[in-house]
Amino acid sequence: MASPSLANPAPFDPDARMPAVEWMKRNLFKNAFQSVLTIIVSFAIMSLAWLLFRWGVLDAVFVTNDPQVCREAAGACWAVIGVKHRPMLFGLYPYEEHWRLVLMIVVYLATVVISLWPRFWNLRILVPLWIASVTAITVLMFGGVFGLRYVPSNDWGGLPLTIILFTGTVLIGMPVAVLLALGRRSPLPFARGISVIFIECLRGVPLITILFVAVNVFPLFLPQGMEVNKLLRITVGIAIFFACYQAEVIRGGLQAVPRGQYEAAASINLSYWQTTRRIILPQAMRIALPSITNHIVAAMKNTSFVIIIGLFDILTATSAVMQDPLWRRYYIEAYLFIAFIYLFFGYALSRYARQVEKWINIGRI
Amino acid sequence: MLDTHDTNDAVIKISSLCKWFGQFKVLTDVDLEVRKGERVVICGPSGSGKSTLIRCINRLEEHQSGHIWVNGLEMTDNIKNIEAIRRNIGMVFQSFNLFPHLTVLENLTLGPTLVRQMKKKDADALAMQFLEKVCIPEQAHKYPLQLSGGQQQRVAIARSLCMEPEIMLFDEPTSALDPEMIKEVLDTMIELADSGMTMIVVTHEMGFARTVANNVVLMADGQIVETGPPESFFGNPQHERTRTFLDQILKH
């Protein structure tokens, strides 16, 4: 029989099928030192897992309304989520109106799921869809019509606020980012100058500064009596900050499109905008997609900066809720719950981006 | 009103054309006339300015002095002139420059629908007609990178033809191809020449020049060294530079 190394010249080939025992012998217990390391590390991992399991499952309290029950238990108090989930998820929004927020989240998720499907990538579908769902969400959130109670945007909070900030940031920020990226490469000195100044100035300051300006300084420049909704100002502020970073990412993609593409477009007499829209941008966005996703995920988490201007996004709302003296010692469980929600959305985003990359590779989009 | 200029029967007239890349002069006093239906092959060592010359004709490069007239219309900074001239000129590139994110059919119909405002159905029919002409209608729904180099270049030719130009420029159309694919592209070009298309071809394919060209031009160091019909150009070159060039290129 041939020696194993000849029969299988690439010992780390992931496709090579090996019996489990053989695999362990080769990778975990190759010599004495490795075997000792394996035993120590696996002991550490298993005891940690056991501790977590005991804390999180065996000794945990899952359902109770009485904090005393949690106090007597040795493990986690997941019951706090059951007790406090509504103010955590929905902030200061009037308690009896929470169904409107649930409905809002359903409408939102449905709209997003439809929009992410390539078969619906058609402006004649997407534009009416978004107009309809933004209208529906506005009505649900504000109320004041159809017998719904009016809720000012200062009382909005929790997950719906995070969703609105994030979606507003991306919907406003992406087109601005594309324009800035194109402007920075424009042959027109004016467009180039404006874009460079805009990007460099805003990228150079912290997001908090921009939010502060949007909330406290911007109103000073408005004419007497005119007021722009605070939530809108904040969303635009985050969106522009997002756009400045995203613009540089897109510019990277634009630079990677070969010069020959411009020449071919010129030779069939396409105009600047036709070339940009049909030839250059589609390729640049495909190239830049991994980094674009990266910034979108970051933008989702940047929404928690609104704490500084007194809006209660999901993270701030949770911190506020956990001030309750009866339940405050179970903040870890509460934050784990919120972390899970962020993780859910963030992971869904990156899975989707992966899928888009796959579609691109097989030429479906 | 666009300025027109009487260029007799020449569809392209170039006179004392000069171009610099920075300090480096790539074209020096180039004069060239191409009549309707004429096939001109431009050859010469690399760096002699032959690609730059044809790229000036549809303004992929800007010239600094001299004149270019196409159908009596002078190529200037005026965007109207540039568009009017490009409407009559198709171009095929060494590296194909197909749009990789569009299918073959979409590559062909993009210009007709956007620039010539054809209906999608008519543009599709036109595109299929030209794909048949270059013998690859069955590839219409594939993406360019799924095709061989020779097929890609034939798609590129068809894409230019879909704009129904009067003049075709070829910038080393076979230089990026494997030897066995050169023939299929040359055959397509010969067919095009037989249909009466005005063509300017930059190439090292001397066999093509000998059989297809009305006029062969040798460029060296940014200047036209010798011009003549293929019989005299190959059979009895007048200049020493032409003889050394032909020696080098025909030896192997």
Side-chain angles (χ1 to χ4, degrees):
Chain A
M1 207 184 127
S3 81
S5 68
L6 276 180
N8 186 1
F12 294 109
D13 180 1
D15 289 329
R17 303 218 161 242
M18 246 187 271
V21 176
E22 181 67 21
W23 184 88
M24 281 165 72
K25 244 190 224 163
R26 197 174 285 185
N27 294 300
L28 300 176
F29 300 97
K30 202 169 189 173
N31 50 41
F33 177 67
Q34 255 200 19
S35 307
V36 171
L37 264 189
T38 301
I39 290 166
I40 292 176
V41 171
S42 48
F43 181 74
I45 290 174
M46 282 191 292
S47 20
L48 192 64
W50 168 246
L51 282 178
L52 277 176
F53 182 68
R54 209 171 58 184
W55 176 78
V57 180
L58 291 185
D59 296 344
V61 177
F62 287 94
V63 187
T64 177
N65 283 326
D66 181 4
Q68 197 56 40
V69 178
C70 276
R71 195 157 300 192
E72 280 154 13
C77 177
W78 300 117
V80 70
I81 297 166
V83 175
K84 296 290 187 191
H85 73 279
R86 286 179 63 165
M88 275 157 68
L89 287 176
F90 301 137
L92 299 175
Y93 207 85
Y95 196 81
E96 53 295 349
E97 305 289 333
H98 280 180
W99 62 271
R100 282 156 58 177
L101 303 183
V102 176
L103 202 55
M104 174 269 181
I105 292 172
V106 170
V107 170
Y108 172 79
L109 288 179
T111 312
V112 168
V113 167
I114 292 172
S115 313
L116 295 183
W117 225 322
R119 87 162 60 147
F120 297 114
W121 289 356
N122 180 338
L123 287 184
R124 256 170 288 168
I125 299 173
L126 289 184
V127 171
L129 176 73
W130 277 87
I131 289 175
S133 72
V134 167
T135 313
I137 287 172
T138 311
V139 167
L140 283 170
M141 294 298 294
F142 273 114
V145 285
F146 307 128
L148 294 172
R149 186 174 140 197
Y150 174 70
V151 182
S153 64
N154 281 343
D155 290 350
W156 298 4
L159 188 56
L161 183 68
T162 299
I163 285 177
I164 290 170
L165 284 167
F166 168 61
T167 314
T169 300
V170 176
L171 285 186
I172 301 171
M174 283 305 288
V176 176
V178 168
L179 288 179
L180 284 174
L182 291 175
R184 199 162 183 174
R185 287 169 54 82
S186 164
L188 308 172
F190 180 74
R192 202 166 52 231
I194 294 274
S195 307
V196 169
I197 291 171
F198 205 77
I199 292 172
E200 295 304 339
C201 288
L202 289 178
R203 242 180 4 157
V205 295
L207 177 54
I208 291 191
T209 317
I210 292 174
L211 295 185
F212 183 79
V213 169
V215 172
N216 297 320
V217 182
F218 177 72
L220 303 179
F221 295 100
L222 288 180
Q224 200 76 44
M226 187 178 158
E227 208 189 319
V228 178
N229 182 291
K230 187 158 107 180
L231 182 60
L232 182 65
R233 275 182 274 152
I234 282 298
T235 312
V236 171
I238 303 180
I240 286 175
F241 185 75
F242 166 79
C244 289
Y245 277 90
Q246 202 67 288
E248 289 295 281
V249 168
I250 295 170
R251 189 167 68 100
L254 288 172
Q255 266 162 356
V257 177
R259 203 182 124 112
Q261 294 289 311
Y262 292 90
E263 293 179 350
S267 79
I268 56 171
N269 229 343
L270 297 185
S271 69
Y272 170 81
W273 284 110
Q274 287 168 338
T275 307
T276 302
R277 208 174 83 69
R278 305 298 287 268
I279 309 296
I280 305 304
L281 267 183
Q283 295 185 60
M285 300 298 268
R286 282 167 168 81
I287 295 167
L289 187 66
S291 318
I292 289 175
T293 315
N294 198 16
H295 277 288
I296 289 179
V297 173
M300 183 185 73
K301 293 177 294 176
N302 276 349
T303 53
S304 52
F305 274 104
V306 293
I307 182 175
I308 62 145
I309 46 124
L311 285 175
F312 288 78
D313 75 304
I314 189 164
L315 187 60
T316 322
T318 303
S319 310
V321 169
M322 294 323 287
Q323 301 301 314
D324 179 346
L326 290 177
W327 294 95
R328 72 198 300 174
R329 58 193 314 192
Y330 309 111
Y331 66 92
I332 289 181
E333 290 85 335
Y335 281 129
L336 279 175
F337 174 59
I338 299 308
F340 176 78
I341 292 177
Y342 274 112
L343 183 67
F344 172 79
F345 282 104
Y347 188 65
L349 255 173
S350 27
R351 289 303 310 189
Y352 176 70
R354 283 264 203 86
Q355 188 58 49
V356 171
E357 281 169 45
K358 252 188 226 160
W359 284 334
I360 289 173
N361 286 338
I362 61 172
R364 190 169 147 198
I365 53 172
Chain B
M1 259 307 279
L2 301 172
D3 291 335
T4 51
H5 174 87
D6 184 19
T7 50
N8 299 322
D9 54 347
V11 284
I12 296 176
K13 183 176 173 186
I14 296 172
S15 85
S16 33
L17 190 74
C18 296
K19 170 162 183 64
W20 287 262
F21 283 130
Q23 295 292 309
F24 181 67
K25 196 168 188 183
V26 275
L27 293 177
T28 308
D29 291 323
V30 174
D31 294 300
L32 186 70
E33 278 193 27
V34 180
R35 284 186 307 278
K36 189 164 176 53
E38 196 176 21
R39 278 95 60 183
V40 176
V41 166
I42 304 176
C43 55
S46 53
S48 60
K50 50 197 193 305
S51 284
T52 310
L53 173 62
I54 69 164
R55 288 159 60 85
C56 282
I57 297 174
N58 67 347
R59 197 72 164 192
L60 293 184
E61 304 284 358
E62 235 170 276
H63 57 275
Q64 278 93 25
S65 74
H67 304 275
I68 300 173
W69 291 276
V70 178
N71 284 334
L73 200 57
E74 180 163 11
M75 181 58 94
T76 58
D77 286 332
N78 185 339
I79 187 77
K80 285 235 164 63
N81 276 25
I82 297 176
E83 280 179 1
I85 291 175
R86 279 182 181 162
R87 210 170 295 146
N88 289 325
I89 301 182
M91 187 164 197
V92 174
F93 301 88
Q94 179 177 353
S95 48
F96 327 138
N97 295 348
L98 293 173
F99 306 129
H101 60 299
L102 302 176
T103 63
V104 166
L105 190 65
E106 288 165 340
N107 265 277
L108 266 63
T109 54
L110 195 67
T113 50
L114 291 183
V115 180
R116 300 174 62 199
Q117 263 117 42
M118 283 174 77
K119 289 206 182 69
K120 191 183 172 303
K121 210 181 83 203
D122 300 338
D124 281 353
L126 182 76
M128 287 313 293
Q129 182 194 323
F130 282 113
L131 279 180
E132 260 153 46
K133 203 165 177 183
V134 300
C135 307
I136 37 177
E138 71 282 0
Q139 312 285 6
H141 297 286
K142 285 197 185 161
Y143 286 86
L145 296 178
Q146 295 171 299
L147 307 186
S148 73
Q151 290 173 324
Q152 289 188 49
Q153 192 61 296
R154 285 186 283 154
V155 171
I157 293 171
R159 177 176 67 182
S160 296
L161 293 177
C162 275
M163 301 303 286
E164 300 185 288
E166 292 171 28
I167 303 158
M168 287 283 286
L169 307 175
F170 292 86
D171 187 3
E172 305 204 28
T174 56
S175 301
L177 296 175
D178 291 337
E180 68 266 31
M181 290 168 186
I182 291 178
K183 188 175 174 301
E184 62 187 58
V185 171
L186 289 181
D187 286 345
T188 308
M189 289 167 63
I190 290 169
E191 205 176 303
L192 196 60
D194 290 343
S195 73
M197 177 69 77
T198 310
M199 294 163 68
I200 303 183
V201 184
V202 171
T203 187
H204 296 294
E205 295 296 327
M206 290 302 116
F208 176 81
R210 218 187 275 269
T211 51
V212 177
N214 306 106
N215 243 328
V216 185
V217 173
L218 180 83
M219 285 189 74
D221 305 319
Q223 285 174 303
I224 290 183
V225 177
E226 177 154 358
T227 311
E231 310 80 56
S232 64
F233 184 90
F234 292 105
N236 183 23
Q238 300 300 304
H239 294 263
E240 183 54 35
R241 189 74 190 79
T242 315
R243 276 192 288 272
T244 42
F245 176 76
L246 289 176
D247 264 0
Q248 280 164 348
I249 205 160
L250 296 176
K251 207 174 277 171
H252 26 242

